[in-house]
Amino acid sequence: MPKVATPPSDLDDVLWQAWKAMELPEGYHAEIVEGFIEVSPTGRYSHGRIANRLRDRLVALLAESEFAARQDMNVIHKRKVWIPDVFIALEDAEEHVVEDGLGIDASGVELIAEVVSPGRESRDRDRDRKRRAYARAGIPVYLIIDDHDGHGSVRMLSDPVPDKALYASEVRMPYGTEVIISEGPAKGFVIDERITGALRVKG
């Protein structure tokens, strides 16, 4: 019997129901990225250190504003699910909470940051698949902090073009130089060695 391709909307529903039913062991999380459920372990120490340095400084920056820096929460867009390393959303985001309180809708998110993990799949996910996914969702700023790009780099992507799944603007700088957030509630925030550490030395 010939195979019949599942329409994208039906596939989205199947993946969504499967994701909601998953029970993962401690230390793992699942995301829906470009038509696949991807299961990943908790990040290594160096990964967590960078993510927490970034969040801690964003918390201080945003303390007196209506925005907050978050971790360990689902960001959802049309039945796609991501768990960013850090993101910025409204402090009071009740209007953006999705069905059953499963997470926050991407429309309420101003910035997402991912710290790239080792391994080809992880690198491809953060550099390419999530880049397209976040652009489709209209996330205004996407930061990629990447230990595995040369001796380390920070990319700031902005000006999303959702219908083309791309960002029109990109700044890429090596560790040890400053990247300044160009827009949004964290405008003017500096990412430098205090967050990334110095240039990585490759053995």
Side-chain angles (χ1 to χ4, degrees):
M1 184 174 181
K3 293 183 178 180
V4 178
T6 305
S9 58
D10 291 347
L11 176 61
D12 288 346
D13 288 340
V14 169
L15 292 172
W16 178 253
Q17 296 303 326
W19 175 81
K20 289 201 298 182
M22 292 182 77
E23 294 184 14
L24 297 173
E26 187 175 347
Y28 287 83
H29 65 254
E31 301 174 286
I32 303 176
V33 183
E34 293 201 325
F36 294 92
I37 295 177
E38 301 194 22
V39 177
S40 306
T42 301
R44 298 182 180 189
Y45 173 77
S46 60
H47 176 283
R49 179 176 59 187
I50 291 173
N52 281 288
R53 283 175 177 169
L54 175 61
R55 181 177 179 271
D56 289 347
R57 285 170 171 78
L58 286 172
V59 165
L61 173 75
L62 300 169
E64 302 301 322
S65 77
E66 62 182 330
F67 294 93
R70 302 295 191 201
Q71 286 179 316
D72 300 322
M73 291 174 63
N74 299 321
V75 173
I76 297 173
H77 175 68
K78 297 181 179 178
R79 301 205 164 182
K80 309 297 189 295
V81 183
W82 316 301
I83 307 174
D85 290 319
V86 181
F87 68 93
I88 294 175
L90 287 167
E91 171 69 34
D92 183 9
E94 293 300 316
E95 65 186 274
H96 296 285
V97 174
V98 301
E99 64 178 83
D100 301 324
L102 288 172
I104 183 171
D105 190 87
S107 62
V109 174
E110 298 291 330
L111 176 150
I112 284 179
E114 299 284 8
V115 180
V116 179
S117 296
R120 181 175 176 180
E121 281 300 311
S122 296
R123 294 195 300 269
D124 289 348
R125 179 175 62 245
D126 290 338
R127 293 174 184 171
D128 300 319
R129 296 196 297 277
K130 281 191 170 181
R131 175 180 180 143
R132 293 190 295 267
Y134 294 155
R136 285 190 194 98
I139 302 297
V141 178
Y142 177 32
L143 294 175
I144 305 173
I145 302 177
D146 193 345
D147 273 4
H148 313 285
D149 179 17
H151 296 284
S153 74
V154 177
R155 298 186 198 191
M156 179 180 65
L157 306 166
S158 58
D159 301 319
V161 185
D163 60 337
K164 295 184 178 179
L166 58 81
Y167 283 93
S169 301
E170 177 176 350
V171 173
R172 177 180 172 273
M173 300 294 287
Y175 284 4
T177 55
E178 294 184 350
V179 174
I180 301 173
I181 303 302
S182 59
E183 61 183 89
K187 184 176 180 178
F189 180 79
V190 177
I191 300 171
D192 57 18
E193 288 188 14
R194 292 172 298 172
I195 294 170
T196 65
L199 284 171
R200 298 297 189 260
V201 176
K202 302 295 183 182

